[in-house]
Amino acid sequence: MTGFAHTEGLNLLAGVRVVDFTQALSGPYCTLMLADLGAEVIKVESPYRGDDARHWGPPFVGNDAAYFMSVNRNKYSVALDLKDDGDRRRARELIGTADVVVENWRPGTADRLGLGAASLRAAHAALVYCSISGFGQGQGTRSGYDQIVQGTSGVMRMTGRPGEPTKWGVPVADIASGMFAATAVVSALFERSRTGLGRAIDIAMQDSLVSMLTHHAARFLKTGVAPESDHNGHSTIAPYGMFRTGDGFINMCVGNDSQFERMCEALGQPGLAEDARFRTNPLRLAHKHELLREVDAALTRMSTERVIAELEAVGVPVGPVLDIGSVLEDPDTHERQMVLHFHRDDVGEARVVNTPWKFDGIAPVVRLAPPRLGEHNDKVIGGLSVDSAGSNGRKS
C-alpha cells in the first residue's frame, strides 16, 4: 500500500489505510480515533454538499461548521459522486488499496451502490469492513439519529428528574458507537495480522447504549422492575451524587463505610455515623431520604470551596461542577494536551479538543487540519488508474 508518511504524534496505526464513507458523528468519531492513532483516513464525500455536519452551524470556522471541525482532523477529503459510474469505479479502486472501510449509511445503501461488505470482501479477503447504523444491519432503515436512539435504548428514562425523560448533554449514542467501532476495527486488524483475513463488523448505536446500561440492566434482569432515574444520585450507593452548597454545587461520592464516617466528621455531623439507620450502605439506601435531608442541611451551611477542602483533607471523593468554559480554560486541561491548535489557510488558527490517549507520554497531534471538501482529490485519486473525469470536475 502506498501511503503519505507522517512522523509526529501517535503512529500506532501507521501504514493502515482507511476509506471513510461516513458523515455526521458516529462514523466520523470512529475514523477520528483511527486517524489520531496514525491511520491514513481518506474521507469520501458528495461533491455537491459534503458531509452534512459541514452545515450544522453556527458557529462556523470559515465555511465549515465547528461541529464538522471537531471530528474530522487528520483526514484527507475526496469528493466523489457515488451515483456516477466513473466515481463508483474510483471508489472501488481506492478501496482496493485500503485495509479498512467504514460506513454509516442506512442499511442497504452500501449494497445498492455496489460497495457492500459482501461484494468488497469477495474481491479483497483481507479487508476489514465496519458498518455503523442506528439499529443494526438487517433491522430495517429506521432513522439512527442520536436523539432517537437515546429514547429507544432506555437511556433517556435513566436521565433527568424522575418522570421527565432527558437526553444526555453529549450525543452519547453517536460517540459510544464510534468508540465501539474503532475498538472493533483495531481488534479485527490484530486478528488479520495472524490470519490474513478481514472481518465484516456490524455496530448498532442501539446496541452500544444497551451495553452501557450495565448495572441498571443487571437490576432489571434480577428483579424484573425497570429502574427509574436517580437524577443526580446513585441507585445503589448513598450518599452519592450532586449536592447544593451554600454558594453552588459539588459532586460527592461516598463509596464505603469508612468514607461515610469521615464525611460526617468533616461536615460537623459525627452523630450521623453512629445513627443506626446509616451504619452500612444497605441501611443508608433504605433510609436514603432521611440521610439526604441531613447531608443537604450540613452542606448548604458551607461554601463550595470549604466543602471541597474539608472533604479532600479526609480522603472523601469530591469535586466541583464546572461549565465547559472553565474546563477548557483550566491549565490542567492544557497540560494534558486536551486542546489542540491547528492552522488552515482559509480560517487561520483554530482549536479543537483532543482524543485522550497518552502512549509513553505522547498524545495525538493535528497532522492535517480538518479538510476542505474535495481538498485532496488530486493527491489521492491522482494515483488511481481510472482516467476519466469525475462528476466533481477534477481529472484523476
Side-chain angles (χ1 to χ4, degrees):
M1 186 194 81
T2 300
F4 309 130
H6 49 74
T7 57
E8 295 182 337
L10 294 174
N11 291 308
L12 284 77
L13 294 180
V16 172
R17 173 174 277 190
V18 179
V19 176
D20 174 8
F21 293 105
T22 72
Q23 62 175 328
L25 186 53
S26 61
Y29 198 84
C30 167
T31 55
L32 169 71
M33 298 182 82
L34 301 176
D36 276 2
L37 288 171
E40 177 190 290
V41 174
I42 300 171
K43 183 179 180 72
V44 180
E45 304 179 70
S46 163
Y48 309 112
R49 180 176 172 84
D51 186 334
D52 280 348
R54 289 185 182 272
H55 311 280
W56 288 352
F60 289 91
V61 183
N63 291 324
D64 292 316
Y67 193 116
F68 173 86
M69 294 291 197
S70 72
V71 289
N72 283 291
R73 66 180 172 273
N74 292 333
K75 302 176 186 180
Y76 298 90
S77 173
V78 169
L80 294 174
D81 180 357
L82 297 178
K83 296 179 181 179
D84 175 81
D85 290 342
D87 276 3
R88 277 200 307 278
R89 289 196 299 273
R90 287 180 179 78
R92 289 185 69 94
E93 187 170 352
L94 182 60
I95 290 166
T97 72
D99 302 283
V100 178
V101 166
V102 184
E103 59 91 4
N104 67 342
W105 291 308
R106 286 193 180 195
T109 300
D111 289 331
R112 288 195 298 274
L113 292 170
L115 300 174
S119 64
L120 293 180
R121 293 185 66 235
H124 309 288
L127 184 67
V128 173
Y129 189 106
C130 181
S131 299
I132 306 171
S133 63
F135 298 94
Q137 303 303 302
Q139 297 298 309
T141 58
R142 285 185 292 171
S143 295
Y145 280 81
D146 180 271
Q147 180 92 23
I148 304 298
V149 176
Q150 287 204 37
T152 60
S153 65
V155 164
M156 288 180 72
R157 287 195 174 273
M158 298 301 303
T159 310
R161 297 183 183 278
E164 298 179 10
T166 305
K167 75 179 183 69
W168 284 23
V170 296
V172 62
D174 281 321
I175 291 171
S177 57
M179 293 171 68
F180 282 124
T183 303
V185 166
V186 172
S187 299
L189 289 171
F190 180 75
E191 181 191 47
R192 192 186 72 170
S193 71
R194 301 193 308 270
T195 67
L197 299 175
R199 290 274 188 173
I201 299 165
D202 174 2
I203 300 291
M205 295 164 68
Q206 172 84 358
D207 296 347
S208 299
L209 289 196
V210 169
S211 80
M212 291 175 66
L213 295 176
T214 57
H215 65 281
H216 297 295
R219 288 168 63 197
F220 172 79
L221 294 172
K222 173 63 178 177
T223 67
V225 177
E228 286 294 320
S229 170
D230 296 301
H231 193 31
N232 286 316
H234 199 287
S235 58
T236 58
I237 307 173
Y240 189 115
M242 190 182 80
F243 298 86
R244 187 181 293 274
T245 66
D247 59 359
F249 301 91
I250 60 156
N251 283 314
M252 180 175 66
C253 306
V254 179
N256 57 50
D257 296 342
S258 174
Q259 288 179 355
F260 180 67
E261 292 171 6
R262 284 178 273 140
M263 180 212 74
C264 295
E265 191 72 33
L267 298 185
Q269 299 289 326
L272 289 180
E274 301 302 320
D275 192 311
R277 297 172 296 172
F278 308 140
R279 286 179 178 168
T280 67
N281 187 66
L283 288 170
R284 291 193 289 275
L285 283 173
H287 301 279
K288 185 174 180 177
H289 296 296
E290 302 100 293
L291 172 62
L292 293 185
R293 277 198 299 270
E294 299 287 350
V295 172
D296 287 341
L299 288 170
T300 53
R301 291 193 292 266
M302 303 169 67
S303 69
T304 299
E305 182 178 5
R306 181 186 168 197
V307 170
I308 291 174
E310 296 285 351
L311 292 177
E312 284 184 341
V314 295
V316 174
V318 65
V321 179
L322 304 176
D323 63 26
I324 289 177
S326 299
V327 175
L328 295 181
E329 293 169 359
D330 190 318
D332 289 343
T333 301
H334 290 267
E335 183 178 349
R336 295 288 297 170
Q337 302 176 69
M338 288 306 300
V339 176
L340 294 174
H341 297 251
F342 69 87
H343 177 87
R344 206 172 83 174
D345 291 343
D346 60 330
V347 300
E349 298 295 323
R351 297 182 295 172
V352 290
V353 295
N354 204 355
T355 41
W357 303 292
K358 311 291 186 294
F359 287 88
D360 296 327
I362 300 172
V365 299
V366 178
R367 298 186 304 272
L368 294 167
R372 295 184 293 275
L373 176 59
E375 179 178 351
H376 303 102
N377 272 56
D378 291 338
K379 184 179 186 71
V380 176
I381 302 300
L384 301 181
S385 62
V386 180
D387 59 5
S388 62
S391 59
N392 55 20
R394 291 181 180 266
K395 287 284 187 180
S396 59

